[in-house]
Amino acid sequence: MLNGIGNSVLRNLISVGSNVNTTANSTAAQSHLQAEASTKVTFSEANEAIAAIYKIVPAQVQNSGALSSNLQAQLNAASQSGGVGMSGIGSNLLKGLMQGGDNVTLSVPATAATSVSSSSQSAVALTVTTQSGIEVSLQMTRQQGGLVVELNTSGGKLNRDEAAAISQLSDGLQKALDGLDAGTTQLDISDLMKFDSAQLKSVDLKTDLRNGNNVTQSLNLHADDKERWLGFHNGDVSIKLDTDVSKLTQAGSAEQQAAALNQWSAKFDQAAARGHGDRDMLDLFKASFRALNTTEGQASHSINTQRVIAIDANAAKNGAISGLADFSASYQQTPRSDNPYKPEEQDTFSLEVAQQTRSQQHTDTQDLTQDTLFKLKASFHTALDSDGAAKLTALKSSQNYRYHLIDDEERSQTAVSQNKKGELTAQTTQQLTQHETVKSYHQAKLIDSDEIPHSEKKVSSQNYARALFEREN
């Protein structure tokens, strides 16, 4: 029987009409797929836009016009608030673009009555580029020196449709900022991913929250018609995601994508149970993973080209592949030293996941390969006599516990071939390799060390008729 994360996934390989072979203790399917998001995606504090915002001196910034009493009250409230939400001022300015609003600068320099004694400071940078090349930037910062909000348009004048598309981002922006400020942090970015791509080319959101010079929370979000990425960290977790949206012919229907994402979500939950991950922090990862990988599937609308249908669209429409765009993601909780007697013995939890799809055209046939990767690494303490939490102190007498180290890797590869009639043959090979080390201590003395390896491989194959599409030549 499979342990932890593997069983449900391998069971999913067994479908009606499939041929299945099971081989235990075999080597993994050959694949060099890695989760490249960990190296490609950066955090907002590494970006020049955030550094430039913090150089703004509120006392040297003039308001662009007279302030109404309501706006002045809102600015004063924002200058006294914490976090990055700024009392909704930025989202209100975006809405004002529909009324033909010009560039706006708002400033509230700190006074003895309004200055914030806390060393907390924040910066927000939203940049929206239209398909015509116009750029709208919203910059907001709250510092000990006061508060500044600037909305600028460069490269031309927005037409009505462009202004409407940007103003429609206002609610999504505020939901994202309010989520970051919530008592239990949320990454609520799904509405920002739904921007009007007919009018807008790209959306970038960067937020930065600091206590003095220490960055306590950071978000770097980007979306265009080629790629989406997100980098986020706070004191508890670091998250990096990257989704390739340049090949959406392999993206299935909304229902197919939701089903695939539900399977991934279940895998994350199973990993958290096996590796004792932080459920609240994992919810941040799950929400952002779903938002970035919910795309406008084009498989069902693919058009025949010279009477030869694209294999990625055909395979996605048939359900032979996941129906998701390719992605890469990493999740890493901040290591904790929960054993004062041995602080070097840390509690850790990390995930790496990825999907990569490649296709090749021949004279009358086409081939496609889709690889996926799922890696779990974790370490944690449990009580010596149960699976409950160990009660560890700096005293030797408390050192009665088990220390678990987990290293799991699951790789799958689906190879699809399509003949000239558009008929498909798909074979999926899935390899799960798990390894757990359990060290048992009594009175700080190692009394046992168990190695628990496990490996299992499954192969399934299935044939599909040519998919029916909404439009064909």
Side-chain angles (χ1 to χ4, degrees), residues 91-102 128-132 134 136 151 153 156-170 196 198-200:
S91 60
N92 287 339
L93 290 180
L94 291 184
K95 290 178 180 177
L97 290 172
M98 279 299 293
Q99 282 71 51
D102 295 323
V128 182
T129 304
T130 70
Q131 293 290 357
S132 65
I134 299 173
V136 175
L151 179 67
T153 301
K157 184 174 177 59
L158 297 173
N159 62 39
R160 184 169 183 81
D161 290 338
E162 291 171 332
I166 296 174
S167 67
Q168 288 169 5
L169 295 174
S170 59
D196 183 356
Q199 301 298 327
L200 306 183

Side-chain angles (χ1 to χ4, degrees), residues 23-24 84 362 435:
T23 305
V84 294
H362 306 290
H435 190 275

Side-chain angles (χ1 to χ4, degrees), residues 249-372:
T249 51
Q250 73 185 50
S253 65
E255 293 78 11
Q256 185 182 358
Q257 289 187 30
L261 290 169
N262 287 342
Q263 289 183 1
W264 277 105
S265 182
K267 284 170 68 67
F268 299 148
D269 287 338
Q270 291 163 7
R274 176 165 165 79
H276 289 216
D278 185 317
R279 297 284 186 167
D280 288 338
M281 293 301 103
L282 191 63
D283 282 345
L284 294 179
F285 179 70
K286 288 164 59 179
S288 52
F289 183 84
R290 183 175 291 271
L292 262 67
N293 289 293
T294 299
T295 59
E296 183 183 350
Q298 295 179 359
S300 62
H301 300 285
S302 180
I303 303 173
N304 262 348
T305 302
Q306 298 178 350
R307 294 283 179 193
V308 178
I309 199 164
I311 188 174
D312 51 0
N314 195 9
K317 190 75 160 57
N318 267 302
I321 56 177
S322 70
L324 299 177
D326 288 346
F327 59 82
S328 171
S330 66
Y331 169 93
Q332 183 171 0
Q333 291 177 197
T334 303
R336 302 191 317 269
S337 296
D338 288 348
N339 186 355
Y341 190 83
K342 293 179 69 177
E344 71 278 7
E345 203 174 61
Q346 294 183 319
D347 285 40
T348 64
F349 183 89
S350 66
L351 298 172
E352 291 186 9
V353 298
Q355 174 188 288
Q356 183 182 72
T357 309
R358 303 176 305 279
S359 60
Q360 188 173 9
Q361 173 77 52
H362 306 290
T363 303
D364 292 324
T365 63
Q366 298 178 61
D367 295 325
L368 176 146
T369 302
Q370 185 169 88
D371 291 297
T372 61

Side-chain angles (χ1 to χ4, degrees), residues 274-276 336 338-339 342 345-348 378-392 398-406 436-452:
R274 176 165 165 79
H276 289 216
R336 302 191 317 269
D338 288 348
N339 186 355
K342 293 179 69 177
E345 203 174 61
Q346 294 183 319
D347 285 40
T348 64
S379 56
F380 55 91
H381 298 80
T382 60
L384 184 60
D385 55 357
S386 72
D387 290 332
K391 298 179 181 179
L392 302 172
S398 74
Q399 297 297 298
N400 306 300
Y401 65 94
R402 290 190 176 95
Y403 186 54
H404 304 251
L405 297 101
I406 290 176
E436 182 175 7
T437 302
V438 182
K439 297 181 178 182
S440 301
Y441 293 87
H442 178 67
Q443 298 284 299
K445 181 180 179 180
L446 180 65
I447 59 174
D448 195 14
S449 181
D450 290 333
E451 302 288 334
I452 310 172

